[in-house]
């Protein structure tokens, strides 16, 4: 594995970790709102969930960019 490959793998590992954080927060927030069952709790859960969705989209964009860069190195370099 080249230095570039290691760097790309490390970056993807960080991005996957970053992806799991808002997914877990999103799931927990929605589950809590469902248990509370009140209208205000649901509104807060929706607002918080939209914020987490923005984070997820940002991470996905970073992952797409990383993939584009890796593919520019040549398909034979992807392992």
């Amino acid at each position: 594995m080249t230095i570039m490959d290691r760097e790309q793998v490390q970056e993807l590992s960080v991005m996957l970790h970053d992806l799991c954080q808002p997914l877990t927060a999103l799931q927990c927030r929605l589950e809590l709102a469902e248990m509370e069952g009140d209208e205000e709790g649901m509104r807060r859960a929706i607002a918080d969930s939209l914020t987490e969705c923005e984070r997820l989209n940002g991470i996905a964009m970073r992952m797409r960019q990383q993939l584009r860069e890796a593919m520019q190195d040549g398909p034979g370099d992807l392992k």
Side-chain angles (χ1 to χ4, degrees), residues 8-24 55-56 59-60 62-63 66:
Q8 288 172 336
V9 167
Q10 179 64 30
E11 181 64 23
L12 287 173
S13 176
V14 168
M15 284 187 260
L16 286 171
H17 178 267
D18 290 348
L19 191 64
C20 288
Q21 289 178 327
L23 281 172
T24 301
R55 283 180 61 195
L56 288 166
I59 294 165
R62 285 178 32 217
M63 292 178 84
Q66 184 74 17

Side-chain angles (χ1 to χ4, degrees), residues 2-79:
T2 67
I3 292 173
M4 182 56 116
D5 290 339
R6 277 187 238 125
E7 289 173 359
Q8 288 172 336
V9 167
Q10 179 64 30
E11 181 64 23
L12 287 173
S13 176
V14 168
M15 284 187 260
L16 286 171
H17 178 267
D18 290 348
L19 191 64
C20 288
Q21 289 178 327
L23 281 172
T24 301
L26 183 60
Q27 181 180 1
C28 290
R29 189 66 188 107
L30 291 171
E31 287 175 353
L32 285 172
E34 183 180 45
M35 285 190 295
E36 291 172 1
D38 68 329
E39 190 173 323
E40 182 57 33
M42 292 298 255
R43 289 180 198 274
R44 280 192 315 268
I46 290 169
D48 291 347
S49 297
L50 289 171
T51 299
E52 295 302 332
C53 286
E54 288 176 15
R55 283 180 61 195
L56 288 166
N57 282 325
I59 294 165
M61 286 175 24
R62 285 178 32 217
M63 292 178 84
R64 278 189 216 112
Q65 181 60 36
Q66 184 74 17
L67 182 58
R68 271 189 227 111
E69 290 172 6
M71 292 182 75
Q72 286 176 352
D73 290 342
D77 293 339
L78 294 176
K79 295 175 183 159

